[in-house]
Amino acid sequence: MTDLSDLPPVWPGRRGLTAARPAVPLLAALALWGYAVRHTDVSRLDDFGLVTALHPAFWAGLVVLTAGFWYTVRDPRRPGGWPAAYVLGLLVMERATQAVLYPTPLYAWAWKHDGVVDHLLTAGGLQTADQIGDMAVYDQWPGFFAAQAALVRLLGVESTAMYMAWWPLVSSLMLLLPLLLIYRTFTEDRRLIWTAVWLFYVANWVGQDYFSPQSVAFALHLGVLAVVLRRYGRSGGARGRRGQAVWTAVLSALVVAMVISHQLTPAMLAVSLLALCLVRRSRDWVPPVTTAVIFLAWCGTAALPFLSAAMPDMIRSVGDVGGNVATGYGATPTGTGAVATSWAARLLSGTVLLLAVAGVWRQRVLRHRATPLLVIAAAPLPMFVASSYGSEMIFRVLMFMLPGAAFFAAAALLPRVRTLAAEAEADARGPRARATAPAAGRRAVAVAGPLLALVAATLAFVPSYSGKDRINYFPPEEVALVQRLFDQAPEGSTVVAANRNYPLAYASYGTVDHYWFLDDDRRHVDEILRSPAATLARDMTGVERPARAYFLLTQGQFANSEMNGQLTGDQLDRIRDSVAASPRFRLVAENSAGVVYELRREGGAER
């Protein structure tokens, strides 16, 4: 693939600006951010999450940062380090705000992965489904967790909970280098490169940057694409073959790390590499074949127990497009805040995709030279039909489309690309054939229009990414309550809760069972609503001594149930009050974030 050399912009830049001028809006934005986080209270989040809790200075800082970035990146005389500094500032404001504001890590699934790492450290090795049940799936894809267990020991910390709040920032930084390498394969215009990077980050609201195998696997995915696009098929001869052998070894190492860590990402990678070969934008079949062989080898050996059990459901889900878009009990955003943030995310993604279409249409040069990015953006779409992935495939497809889509969306915001060859041809035809600078009015629109679009997208990221923080944030009191429960629960105990949205939900999962009654069908949930204490007591019987059965209801469960259309707060209050009034239950612990009850061995009739 030949790099594309672009000419400077057609509009004249301002003269006499000092080299340090771009630092002013950057420092001002970071100062506003620092002021905002010091004056933001997250103790009482509403259904809009962090959106309404943030101090207005935060929003002003984002506007200043975006404007400073746009006016800096569009000037060809600016040193290349300034756009990078602005992108780093964006990542701090986007991904570090929550780590600074919240005293505990966000997101129940991050806490789940912390429990997996803790189990790996405690057990000392991998275990089978006979030993740890459904959670054995993590022992069949242990790469991420084994690496984190080694990091915990290396750092000498108690658990990954000590640093996982900062993981969104770390994992986002891991994507920067492969993104730059991919984009620089198709253009040397830093305006286009850095605007594409900016759009990628503000449109990547899906949230897979949290402490998870997907966060690392996605970085490896982009790394493999960068190697394939930049290094394969570039030179011949013995030296070229030796170089290609080295890059094949690098690619294989990246693929192995990915395959042993995550189930979906290798499949997405294989589809993308295969698509590049089928449309003849990559003439080397080594990368897709290598990826497929390593992936199938792992699936046929270490991952075979899980796949054997899951394969019937996976086959049945093929073609079930409705499973990716269906909503219903337990999956419907409920309330003004949840609905508004859901629509903000949809509009953000839709806008970037529409901009990408516009960029493909108006940038003929890029459409030809950057066809591989078009292929990479389109390749994940068949996965939308292949599987629902627990109703999450639509979000994963969007995430894997984004590197290519962001590039062409950025192209839509910039003037038309003019290559050196096209400019020389215009010179040969005469002065009238050359492009002329646009009039002042058109130039102002060309600058202000894209800036407004960039500012709107950057601001829309916040509700899309942080609008559900009422669900994802667990105050220290809730962490302490759940920790107290697991500290005293004997081996073989069972914890019953409304749903799994609470911290440490998978703590001691090798020795303590869990039952979330909102995962049951609606008929059983209705039975619990009619007679809460009696039904729950019946469900919790059968735990043999010395194990015990506990009922746990916390703030996070209330938030998740209310905002996802499960049970209302009044219904959960009625369940809690029924348990509290029943002689079959004994209060074990209580604070402002929740309650813990233990099922008595003997007791009177329920109320």
Side-chain angles (χ1 to χ4, degrees):
M1 177 60 61
T2 303
D3 287 351
L4 179 63
S5 298
D6 299 312
L7 294 177
V10 295
W11 58 75
R14 291 185 178 180
R15 300 182 181 277
L17 294 177
T18 62
R21 186 72 63 87
V24 175
L26 175 60
L27 293 177
L30 292 177
L32 287 168
W33 173 77
Y35 181 85
V37 296
R38 289 177 60 88
H39 294 82
T40 295
D41 181 14
V42 296
S43 61
R44 293 184 179 180
L45 296 175
D46 60 20
D47 285 356
F48 289 89
L50 195 57
V51 178
T52 51
L54 282 168
H55 190 276
F58 179 88
W59 302 98
L62 272 184
V63 173
V64 171
L65 184 77
T66 308
F69 167 79
W70 181 244
Y71 282 101
T72 298
V73 78
R74 61 183 283 268
D75 190 338
R77 295 167 299 177
R78 293 295 180 202
W82 283 116
Y86 272 93
V87 167
L88 293 178
L90 174 71
L91 291 180
V92 168
M93 294 185 71
E94 281 188 346
R95 263 73 181 190
T97 298
Q98 292 169 315
V100 174
L101 286 176
Y102 297 116
T104 58
L106 293 180
Y107 202 43
W109 287 91
W111 286 92
K112 176 181 183 179
H113 296 151
D114 171 66
V116 176
V117 175
D118 181 70
H119 175 77
L120 187 60
L121 287 168
T122 303
L126 306 181
Q127 294 183 285
T128 65
D130 293 338
Q131 296 169 298
I132 52 177
D134 293 340
M135 293 296 289
V137 63
Y138 293 103
D139 283 46
Q140 292 170 28
W141 278 274
F144 172 81
F145 304 107
Q148 294 301 324
L151 184 59
V152 166
R153 287 174 172 165
L154 179 65
L155 297 177
V157 296
E158 183 178 348
S159 70
T160 59
M162 304 297 293
Y163 59 81
M164 69 183 185
W166 292 93
W167 196 257
L169 177 61
V170 173
S171 63
S172 296
L173 288 171
M174 288 191 296
L175 303 178
L176 184 55
L177 178 59
L179 275 176
L180 290 175
L181 291 175
I182 290 172
Y183 293 154
R184 289 189 62 185
T185 305
F186 305 104
T187 182
E188 293 177 1
D189 186 346
R190 64 183 181 85
R191 299 170 303 160
L192 179 54
I193 292 170
W194 286 107
T195 304
V197 169
W198 186 282
L199 280 175
F200 172 85
Y201 280 124
V202 300
N204 189 19
W205 59 266
V206 173
Q208 294 305 307
D209 55 358
Y210 74 101
F211 184 72
S212 65
Q214 174 76 90
S215 64
V216 176
F218 189 49
L220 295 171
H221 169 84
L222 293 181
V224 172
L225 291 179
V227 170
V228 171
L229 293 173
R230 295 183 64 86
R231 294 302 175 186
Y232 272 87
R234 279 184 168 264
S235 59
R239 183 176 180 181
R241 287 192 294 271
R242 287 195 297 271
Q244 189 158 314
V246 171
W247 286 111
T248 300
V250 172
L251 180 147
S252 300
L254 295 175
V255 172
V256 167
M258 184 194 314
V259 164
I260 66 175
S261 298
H262 197 246
Q263 304 93 329
L264 177 64
T265 307
M268 287 288 195
L269 177 63
V271 169
S272 297
L273 296 178
L274 179 62
L276 287 173
C277 288
L278 291 178
V279 300
R280 298 186 178 182
R281 290 298 170 174
S282 176
R283 298 181 179 180
D284 201 321
W285 284 84
V286 171
V289 170
T290 300
T291 301
V293 168
I294 296 173
F295 181 43
L296 293 175
W298 186 263
C299 291
T301 54
L304 187 59
F306 169 80
L307 292 175
S308 298
M311 190 60 67
D313 289 336
M314 294 170 65
I315 294 175
R316 282 193 295 269
S317 70
V318 173
D320 182 19
V321 178
N324 280 306
V325 295
T327 57
Y329 169 65
T332 305
T334 303
T336 305
V339 172
T341 55
S342 177
W343 274 105
R346 296 176 187 179
L347 290 173
L348 176 57
S349 294
T351 299
V352 171
L353 292 177
L354 287 175
L355 283 174
V357 172
V360 171
W361 176 74
R362 69 187 296 264
Q363 299 281 17
R364 185 179 63 177
V365 173
L366 290 178
R367 186 168 67 238
H368 172 69
R369 295 293 184 90
T371 302
L373 279 180
L374 279 177
V375 175
I376 290 172
L381 287 172
M383 300 298 290
F384 187 74
V385 179
S387 173
S388 66
Y389 203 68
S391 298
E392 290 188 4
M393 185 60 76
I394 185 173
F395 304 116
R396 309 303 175 98
V397 167
L398 282 172
M399 184 178 69
F400 282 95
M401 291 177 64
L402 194 54
F407 181 84
F408 286 99
L413 300 179
L414 295 170
R416 289 192 179 183
V417 172
R418 298 167 295 116
T419 64
L420 290 172
E423 197 71 11
E425 183 180 347
D427 281 337
R429 292 199 303 267
R432 292 184 180 180
R434 291 185 55 84
T436 58
R442 291 176 57 195
R443 187 164 64 246
V445 172
V447 174
L451 173 59
L452 290 176
L454 208 60
V455 168
T458 304
L459 294 178
F461 170 85
V462 180
S464 303
Y465 186 78
S466 305
K468 293 186 177 181
D469 278 8
R470 184 189 165 214
I471 294 177
N472 297 328
Y473 170 53
F474 309 114
E477 295 81 9
E478 187 168 357
V479 176
L481 181 74
V482 179
Q483 185 66 65
R484 179 178 174 183
L485 165 61
F486 284 107
D487 285 344
Q488 70 179 47
E491 183 174 343
S493 296
T494 296
V495 175
V496 175
N499 52 53
R500 66 194 74 195
N501 192 61
Y502 53 92
L504 300 164
Y506 291 84
S508 306
Y509 66 82
T511 58
V512 176
D513 292 328
H514 301 80
Y515 165 54
W516 301 288
F517 60 79
L518 290 182
D519 285 353
D520 285 348
D521 59 55
R522 187 63 201 230
R523 287 179 299 178
H524 186 65
V525 175
D526 289 339
E527 186 179 355
I528 292 175
L529 287 174
R530 285 192 298 270
S531 183
T535 306
L536 287 172
R538 186 186 68 229
D539 292 342
M540 296 166 65
T541 56
V543 178
E544 299 180 359
R545 295 179 184 274
R548 300 171 184 173
Y550 299 93
F551 174 72
L552 171 69
L553 196 57
T554 64
Q555 175 178 311
Q557 296 174 57
F558 270 82
N560 187 77
S561 179
E562 290 177 320
M563 293 184 66
N564 282 327
Q566 294 179 320
L567 298 181
T568 66
D570 289 341
Q571 289 172 319
L572 290 174
D573 282 336
R574 189 160 68 249
I575 293 173
R576 181 187 57 196
D577 293 343
S578 175
V579 170
S582 171
R584 293 290 305 276
F585 291 90
R586 178 179 68 89
L587 181 65
V588 173
E590 181 180 16
N591 63 23
S592 60
V595 294
V596 179
Y597 286 91
E598 177 189 342
L599 181 68
R600 297 179 185 272
R601 296 291 179 180
E602 297 178 359
E606 278 68 65
R607 298 182 186 178

